[in-house]
Amino acid sequence: MRLPRQRGPLHDLPDTPEAYDAVLADVAEQALSRLTPDGSLEHPGALDDIGDTSLGITSLLALAWQRGRDPRLPEAVRRSLAFHLRERVYTEDNPGYPNLRIRDSRLPYARYVLETGAHPIGDWPSTVWALLQLVNLLDTGEGLIEDEQRRELVELGRGYWRWLTEATFFNPQEAGNQAIGCVVGGLMLARHLPPEEGELLRARALALYTAEIRAHRVRDRGALLPPEHGGAYDNNYGPISLSFLAQAHRVTGEEVFADDGDALARYIDARLPGGGFDNGGPRYSEQHSGFESVLGLRYFSGRIGSDLGRYRGDTRWGRHAVQPDGGVDGHFAWMLVWQIQDTSRWHRTPSSSTTRHQLRAGTVSVAFDGRMTPSLIEAAGTYYLPAAVGRQHGFGPVTDGFLLCRPLGEVRVRDVRADGLTAKLVTKPVVGRDHVLRHVRSLYVTDGTSLWVTVAVERLDGAPYLLAGLPYAADDGDRVRRVAEGEVTSAGALRLTHPEARGVDHFDARAELTQEQAAFALAADPRGYGNPDEGWRHLVSSTALEAGPAAGGPEDLHVFAVRYGPGDTFVPAFEAGDQGLTVRTEAFTALIGEAAGDAHGEPELTLYT
C-alpha cells in the first residue's frame, strides 16, 4: 500500500508564470460552469470549511482577470461577491459556540458549517480565512469591484477583525497557523483603511503577534516554534505557518517575521530527510499540506540556503484545494494568490552548514530528536522510525528489556567531515534499571549512499542487543509506500521481529495500517482532535530490527555495528587503546576519544578512509 498524503516534492511542480496562468485558466473555466443563478461558486459537494470558499474562488477570478483580462470574468466576480455579502455573512451568534467573550455583538463572522449550531468550533479559523479572501480581493479587484461593493468589503473586513480580536478569545484552538493568519489578515486590511485607522490596526496586529504568538512559542530540537494545536510542530500545519510568516514579511518588511520564519525553516530543514518524508505532529502524523506550504518553503528556502522544496506534499492539492471529484474548492485560495504574486524562486541544493539535529549527505539522512536519538533514518530510499519495546521508543542498546537512549545529563555532539565522509558522534550519559551510570557513544558515518552506525557502551549483563529501528516506508517514484523490511547489515546477529501480542498498542509493520491510523487509535480524542504523537507514545511494542553485539570487541565494552543501505562484506573491527576506541570498516576508520573527551569534556572524533 502507498501512504495516502505524501507524494512528490513540492519544488517539482512547475512555478513559471505560464504554469500559473494555466492553473488560473482552469479555475476560471470550472468557476464559470459552476456559477449558480444566485452567484455561488461553492463546490456542490462541500459541507465543512465552506463559509469562505465562494469568496476564495472569487479572488482567484479577480487575479485571473488582472493577469489575462478575460471579458467573461468581471460579471462573475461581481455576482459571486454579491452572493457572499448577501448569503455568507452571519451576525447572530452561532448556538453552541464556546469561545465568545461578548455575546450578541452583531459583528460579522464566517461559518465552518453553514447549518446553525452544527459545528461552531470551526468558526474562528473560517473567519480568519474569510478575512484573508477578502483582503486579497481588495488587492486584486481594482477595476472589477464597484465602489459600493468595495465599501461593503472594507466594512466587512473591519467587522471580521473585531469579531476575531474582540468578540472572541484569540486563537482558541492554540493553532499557530490560524493565529499568524489572523495577524496577516489584519496587516493586509490596514493598507485599505484611512492612514490613521490603518496604523492603529497595524500596531494592534503586531502587538497580538508579539504577545499571543511569539510569547507562547514552544521549544523543540533547540528551536522556538509557534505552537500548533498544543504541540511544538505539526508536519501539515507547520509549513503552513511558514507560509503565513513569509506573507507577513512580504506585507510589512518587519524583521521579526523573517527571523521567526528563518528559525522555523531551519527546524523543518533539520527534521526533513533528503527524500522529503516526515511524520509526527499534535494534529496529524502523515497528512501533508500541498499548495498551502509552497509560499513559505520557497520563500525561506532562499533565505536559509537549503532545498526545503524536497518536502513531500500532497500533490493532489498541489495547486489549490479540491474535493474528492477533483473539482476546485476555494478553501485556502489566498495561498495560491500569494504564491503567484511572490517572485522568489526555489533554492534547490542542500545547505552546506553543519546542523546539530541532522546528519545528511547524498541520499542518506538522520534526523535527531531533542535527546539526540534518531527520530528518522533514511538510507537506500527506505525510512526507519524509532522502534518500540516495553513502551520505550528509540534507537539504542537494550538490556533486560530496558532501552538505553534517554539521557541523564548533557548530550555532547561532534561533527566531522573528511575524505568524502560525513560523521556525527553523539555521547550521552544514561542510567539503567541497576542505577549504574553508563556512557553511550553513537557514531553515525555516511558516504552519501550508505549509513554506518556504531554504538559502544560499558559492558551489559544478559543478552543485550541494539534496537535499530522500525522499517516503515520507502520511496516509490513520486509516492511513498509502506514497507516492513529494509536493506540492513549487522556485525552481530540481526533479526527482524514483530509483536507477538495483538491490539492497538502493538504495531506490526506487515499490517496494512499507517502510523497515523495507529497513533490516532491510541490517542485520547478522535482523529483530527486527538494528539497522534501523544497516542503513539502509548505504543508498547512494534516491528523492530534487533542487532546483537559485534564479536571481537573490547572486553569491557559491548559494541554494536549496523549498516543501512548497500555495501561490500561488513566485518568491522574494534580496538580499545589509550586514545579511545578505533572502529575499522570497509569504508573508513574512526577513532572515538574516551568518554571524558577533551579538556572541556567534549567528545573527540577522528575520521579517515
Side-chain angles (χ1 to χ4, degrees), residues 65 69 74 78 140-146 150:
W65 181 82
R69 302 292 172 172
R78 286 190 282 269
T140 59
E142 190 68 36
L144 278 177
I145 303 174
E146 298 168 347
R150 177 172 287 276

Side-chain angles (χ1 to χ4, degrees), residues 153-499:
L153 263 188
V154 171
E155 190 58 32
L156 180 59
R158 286 190 179 100
Y160 281 157
W161 174 256
R162 290 189 60 201
W163 189 85
L164 290 164
T165 61
E166 298 175 22
T168 69
F169 290 98
F170 185 80
N171 191 21
Q173 296 184 23
E174 296 182 345
N177 75 95
Q178 298 173 9
I180 304 171
C182 181
V183 167
V184 171
L187 293 170
M188 294 181 69
L189 176 64
R191 302 185 302 181
H192 296 279
L193 301 178
E196 184 175 346
E197 181 187 358
E199 188 53 39
L200 287 173
L201 195 154
R202 185 179 187 275
R204 171 66 172 150
L206 292 173
L208 278 171
Y209 181 76
T210 300
E212 299 294 339
I213 302 171
R214 212 162 187 266
H216 296 279
R217 287 176 299 170
V218 178
R219 185 175 296 278
D220 186 44
R221 308 187 196 191
L224 284 171
L225 309 171
E228 191 52 66
H229 288 281
Y233 177 81
D234 183 276
N235 64 14
N236 176 37
Y237 291 113
I240 295 175
S241 284
L242 191 66
S243 287
F244 282 129
L245 289 169
Q247 180 66 5
H249 187 241
R250 291 182 66 235
V251 170
T252 66
E254 293 283 345
E255 284 305 306
V256 65
F257 299 120
D259 292 343
D260 291 354
D262 288 348
L264 177 54
R266 291 191 179 97
Y267 172 88
I268 294 173
D269 191 39
R271 70 174 289 144
L272 199 64
F277 167 84
D278 192 16
N279 77 300
R283 186 71 182 268
Y284 295 106
S285 284
E286 293 176 349
Q287 178 170 313
H288 271 42
S289 46
F291 76 101
E292 314 102 293
S293 300
V294 167
L295 174 66
L297 293 170
R298 189 175 67 193
Y299 191 83
F300 286 100
S301 71
R303 285 187 57 89
I304 71 168
S306 194
D307 55 337
L308 290 175
R310 69 187 188 276
Y311 176 94
R312 282 186 180 270
D314 188 341
T315 51
R316 293 172 300 184
W317 280 40
R319 297 305 195 183
H320 46 66
V322 296
Q323 288 290 326
D325 65 357
V328 63
D329 186 310
H331 186 47
F332 267 53
W334 65 86
M335 286 293 193
L336 178 57
V337 173
W338 296 343
Q339 67 168 279
I340 291 175
Q341 293 171 333
D342 178 46
T343 58
S344 61
R345 300 274 66 88
W346 289 110
H347 183 99
R348 296 180 179 273
T349 56
S351 170
S352 59
S353 62
T354 298
T355 302
R356 178 180 174 88
H357 293 90
Q358 182 194 63
L359 174 73
R360 182 184 175 200
T363 58
V364 172
S365 304
V366 185
F368 296 87
D369 64 18
R371 296 170 169 177
M372 287 307 295
T373 296
S375 62
L376 184 66
I377 288 177
E378 171 197 28
T382 299
Y383 303 99
Y384 303 83
L385 304 179
V389 56
R391 211 180 293 276
Q392 305 160 94
H393 300 200
F395 290 76
V398 177
T399 177
D400 289 333
F402 191 84
L403 174 60
L404 298 169
C405 75
R406 294 172 298 279
L408 187 71
E410 190 67 23
V411 180
R412 311 287 188 125
V413 178
R414 175 62 60 91
D415 289 280
V416 172
R417 292 177 179 172
D419 300 328
L421 301 171
T422 305
K424 187 183 294 285
L425 174 62
V426 177
T427 300
K428 62 175 72 173
V430 299
V431 174
R433 293 194 196 277
D434 56 7
H435 291 222
V436 174
L437 181 70
R438 294 179 173 87
H439 285 85
V440 176
R441 289 173 286 170
S442 302
L443 173 65
Y444 306 86
V445 181
T446 180
D447 61 358
T449 301
S450 295
L451 172 70
W452 291 263
V453 178
T454 304
V455 179
V457 63
E458 289 88 348
R459 200 154 192 88
L460 303 166
D461 295 331
Y465 62 89
L466 180 72
L467 193 65
L470 157 64
Y472 177 69
D475 293 338
D476 184 14
D478 63 351
R479 298 290 300 277
V480 178
R481 61 181 170 85
R482 284 275 286 104
V483 296
E485 58 186 10
E487 190 175 359
V488 181
T489 311
S490 172
L494 180 68
R495 55 189 178 270
L496 179 64
T497 65
H498 303 285

